[in-house]
């Protein structure tokens, strides 16, 4: 298991001060799972490289483990000694602890400096492929290089392996680079060699401070880092949503109940249902009101039917994230999307003249006294031909483990409606503003409490 860090700014040997390890000599450090060795393959004025080599002892790990299962061949013969994993994160914290904490005793000013840094991981499991690798590191400003290894060079028909040689380069603080590696290497491996408990949430948030809360893949990062344990992931995502100042942390309650590989996520089902409803109405100019970080926008832009897509949100931060996500799409798709800053509580001439509008998990964030204003803004002034609106079904909350009786799915929810309450509101609004409405449930339907999400599709009457 090999990680190299390279500084290319003279005097490049300052890397030794940053890491707290002298380029003049090799050093070894005992770890619970083997040995770590630090040495410098090159140390010149213009380029300096520090190598961290981990020698993992899988036999010792199994023999020293408490309890049984010591005789399984898989525990002795596996990829753990050779690929970057949570072992590397532990080594970073123990061998490069001061650098990971952003400290340098001899050169404290260097710890805060933006430096041209390169990191190379010899063999990194990318469970999710190169696309997922890039989704993790490119939003953080890295130039990513990845070379995929075959499963066996002697047997090309076996196909490619999940292992890559990965190179990252950026102008950043060394602390940031190490923090990103500490968190994201285990995420890519999607495995940890030790028990994961509540203290892992604190580690994740500590090393993710300043970047994880606004990362486009924060949900996948939190779940994988915490070994897909629903309760832990839910807690971490709620705290991250609070840190980001957002109001969409209810997905942490809804989606962290199960491992993402086990079933289609509720949010994916919700977005699919909304896209289908919008396609059925035949509209070409559509609104995403309360677009948040742009998940629905990115789903809509994949369909040629939608020639003009407008996303509106009250949060500048959410719009910035949506813009970042959209920039990763081809320019031909980006050109069809426009982002607006605004509130659904105030009349906005920019919203008029569209064929359809989606309001996905937004209405429950409005204070009840503002509902009347929202109704007029959407159904009287914007007046699209079709409105697709989703909101939580309060009755289904009893199905969520860990949610206290009577509690709402997220702290920013001002209310949550039962199916009867939603139907009463929707029918009243439809009658008042000249629409007809039909209802559907989204997600696993329970015979007693219904589906977790309820959807209303409002269609404007022709004479309205």
């Amino acid at each position: 298991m090999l990680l190299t860090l390279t500084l290319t700014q003279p005097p490049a040997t300052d890397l030794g001060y940053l890491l707290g390890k002298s380029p003049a000599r090799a050093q070894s450090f005992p770890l619970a799972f083997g040995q770590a060795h630090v040495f410098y393959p090159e140390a010149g004025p213009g380029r300096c490289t520090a190598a961290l080599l981990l020698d993992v002892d899988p036999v010792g790990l199994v023999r020293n483990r408490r309890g049984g299962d010591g005789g399984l061949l898989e525990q002795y013969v596996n990829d753990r000694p050779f690929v970057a994993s949570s072992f590397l994160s532990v080594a970073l914290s123990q061998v490069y602890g001061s650098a990971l904490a952003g400290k340098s005793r001899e050169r404290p000013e260097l710890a805060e400096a933006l430096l041209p840094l390169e990191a190379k991981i010899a063999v990194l499991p990318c469970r999710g492929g190169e696309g997922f690798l890039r989704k993790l590191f490119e939003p953080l400003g890295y130039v990513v290089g990845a070379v995929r290894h075959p499963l066996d060079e002697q047997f090309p028909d076996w196909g490619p392996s999940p292992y890559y040689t990965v190179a990252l380069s950026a102008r950043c603080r060394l602390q940031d680079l190490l923090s990103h590696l500490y968190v994201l290497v285990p995420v890519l491996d999607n495995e940890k060699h030790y028990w994961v408990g509540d203290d892992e949430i604190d580690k994740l948030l500590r090393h993710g401070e300043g970047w994880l809360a606004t990362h486009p893949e924060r949900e996948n990062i939190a779940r994988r880092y915490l070994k897909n344990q629903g309760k832990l992931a839910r807690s971490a995502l709620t705290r991250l949503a609070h840190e980001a100042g957002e109001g969409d942390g209810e997905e942490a309650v809804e989606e962290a109940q199960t491992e993402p590989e086990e079933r289609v996520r509720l949010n994916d089902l919700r977005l699919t249902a909304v896209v289908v409803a919008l396609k059925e109405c035949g509209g070409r100019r559509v609104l995403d009101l309360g677009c948040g970080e742009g998940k629905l926008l990115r789903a809509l832009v994949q369909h040629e039917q939608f020639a003009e897509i407008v996303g509106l949100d009250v949060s500048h931060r959410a719009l910035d994230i949506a813009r970042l996500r959209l920039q990763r799409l081809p320019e031909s798709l980006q050109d069809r999307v426009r982002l607006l800053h605004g509130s659904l509580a105030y009349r906005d001439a920019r919203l008029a003249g569209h064929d359809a509008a989606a309001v996905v998990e937004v209405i429950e964030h409005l204070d009840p006294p503002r509902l009347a204003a929202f109704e007029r803004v959407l159904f009287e002034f914007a007046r699209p031909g079709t409105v697709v609106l989703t909101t939580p079904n309060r009755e289904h909350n009893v199905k969520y483990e860990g949610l206290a009786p009577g509690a709402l799915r997220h702290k920013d929810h001002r209310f949550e409606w039962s199916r009867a309450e939603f139907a009463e509101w929707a029918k009243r609004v439809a009658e008042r503003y000249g629409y007809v409405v039909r209802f559907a449930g989204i997600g696993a339907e329970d015979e007693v409490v219904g589906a977790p999400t309820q959807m209303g599709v409002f269609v404007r009457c022709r004479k309205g």
Side-chain angles (χ1 to χ4, degrees):
M1 191 185 306
L2 179 65
L3 165 71
T4 60
L5 301 172
T6 301
L7 176 62
T8 57
Q9 175 177 296
T13 50
D14 279 349
L15 182 62
Y17 293 111
L18 283 168
L19 294 174
K21 304 293 182 288
S22 172
R25 62 189 181 92
Q27 297 177 261
S28 296
F29 305 87
L31 301 173
F33 48 81
Q35 288 280 120
H37 309 279
V38 177
F39 58 94
Y40 286 76
E42 56 183 341
R47 184 180 177 88
C48 184
T49 298
L52 175 61
L53 176 66
L54 299 188
D55 184 9
V56 177
D57 179 11
V59 175
L61 280 174
V62 176
R63 288 179 175 174
N64 293 330
R65 181 179 298 165
R66 293 183 179 179
D69 298 332
L72 298 178
L73 181 62
E74 181 184 0
Q75 295 184 345
Y76 291 95
V77 182
N78 54 51
D79 64 359
R80 299 297 86 184
F82 312 108
V83 304
S85 64
S86 56
F87 288 119
L88 178 61
S89 297
V90 173
L92 289 176
S93 66
Q94 296 189 18
V95 178
Y96 292 155
S98 60
L100 184 60
K103 300 177 182 178
S104 174
R105 184 175 59 185
E106 291 85 359
R107 298 285 193 277
E109 72 284 354
L110 279 178
E112 294 299 321
L114 300 180
L115 303 169
L117 294 168
E118 301 170 5
K120 185 174 183 179
I121 304 172
V123 185
L124 176 63
C126 296
R127 309 194 191 279
E130 182 178 344
F132 186 54
L133 168 72
R134 294 186 178 278
K135 286 180 180 180
L136 292 184
F137 283 102
E138 287 182 346
L140 298 171
Y142 292 99
V143 175
V144 180
V147 177
R148 192 171 191 175
H149 298 285
L151 196 60
D152 192 313
E153 293 180 352
Q154 302 300 317
F155 300 94
D157 291 343
W158 290 3
S161 74
Y163 306 116
Y164 292 74
T165 293
V166 175
L168 308 169
S169 61
R171 190 172 188 86
C172 62
R173 298 186 307 169
L174 179 61
Q175 179 189 16
D176 296 331
L177 172 58
L178 295 178
S179 295
H180 298 153
L181 293 174
Y182 181 95
V183 171
L184 298 180
V185 165
V187 168
L188 283 161
D189 184 37
N190 202 21
E191 183 57 82
K192 279 197 171 180
H193 72 277
Y194 56 86
W195 171 258
V196 171
D198 291 337
D199 58 333
E200 286 298 298
I201 298 176
D202 295 328
K203 291 181 185 178
L204 173 64
L205 298 185
R206 182 169 70 253
H207 293 293
E209 184 178 2
W211 62 273
L212 181 54
T214 57
H215 195 290
E217 294 293 326
R218 74 179 181 196
E219 294 168 22
N220 280 325
I221 292 171
R223 289 189 182 89
R224 285 186 171 218
Y225 184 88
L226 297 167
K227 293 187 70 172
N228 294 309
Q229 294 192 31
K231 289 183 179 180
L232 299 182
R234 181 169 63 250
S235 177
L237 289 168
T238 300
R239 290 169 64 180
L240 286 168
H242 177 72
E243 179 182 336
E246 299 168 2
D248 60 356
E250 62 268 25
E251 286 185 28
V253 175
E254 296 173 339
E255 313 299 354
Q257 303 297 323
T258 58
E259 297 182 9
E261 290 80 10
E262 288 184 353
R263 65 178 66 177
V264 179
R265 296 174 55 228
L266 175 58
N267 191 53
D268 293 336
L269 293 174
R270 193 157 47 215
L271 295 182
T272 298
V274 171
V275 171
V276 169
L278 291 173
K279 291 186 69 176
E280 288 177 348
C281 80
R284 293 181 55 79
R285 303 180 67 236
V286 299
L287 298 165
D288 181 6
L289 302 178
C291 65
E293 298 175 0
K295 294 177 182 178
L296 178 60
L297 296 174
R298 288 182 292 127
L300 291 172
V301 80
Q302 304 299 326
H303 300 274
E304 294 183 0
Q305 171 183 327
F306 305 118
E308 181 183 342
I309 305 166
V310 176
L312 177 136
D313 203 274
V314 72
S315 168
H316 284 291
R317 182 188 294 271
L319 290 172
D320 287 342
I321 296 173
R323 189 172 291 108
L324 175 64
R325 287 175 164 175
L326 291 169
Q327 287 173 354
R328 289 154 47 190
L329 298 174
E331 289 188 7
S332 59
L333 299 184
Q334 295 181 41
D335 292 342
R336 289 159 48 203
V337 183
R338 184 160 53 104
L339 298 179
L340 302 176
H341 180 253
S343 169
L344 292 176
Y346 299 97
R347 182 175 181 177
D348 192 332
R350 298 174 298 177
L351 305 183
H354 290 80
D355 301 320
V359 189
V360 180
E361 306 299 284
V362 171
I363 192 171
E364 62 273 9
H365 295 277
L366 302 176
D367 290 312
R370 309 303 294 272
L371 281 178
F374 163 77
E375 294 166 10
R376 297 194 66 193
V377 167
L378 178 56
F379 293 98
E380 181 179 352
F381 301 125
R383 199 163 176 74
T386 299
V387 175
V388 182
L389 189 148
T390 75
T391 191
N393 168 21
R394 187 186 70 218
E395 298 166 77
H396 196 89
N397 288 357
V398 296
K399 307 292 289 186
Y400 289 126
E401 181 183 357
L403 192 63
L408 303 181
R409 296 188 196 176
H410 187 259
K411 61 181 178 57
D412 191 56
H413 284 186
R414 302 305 193 260
F415 61 88
E416 288 174 0
W417 279 326
S418 67
R419 287 169 291 174
E421 290 168 334
F422 178 54
E424 179 184 3
W425 173 85
K427 290 176 181 178
R428 176 182 58 79
V429 168
E431 182 178 357
R432 179 173 183 178
Y433 294 104
Y435 286 77
V436 293
V437 60
R438 61 178 175 86
F439 301 97
I442 301 174
E445 188 87 25
D446 183 272
E447 292 183 359
V448 177
V449 299
T453 295
Q454 47 191 337
M455 179 173 70
V457 180
F458 300 77
V459 179
R460 193 178 66 208
C461 300
R462 291 185 179 180
K463 65 180 181 179

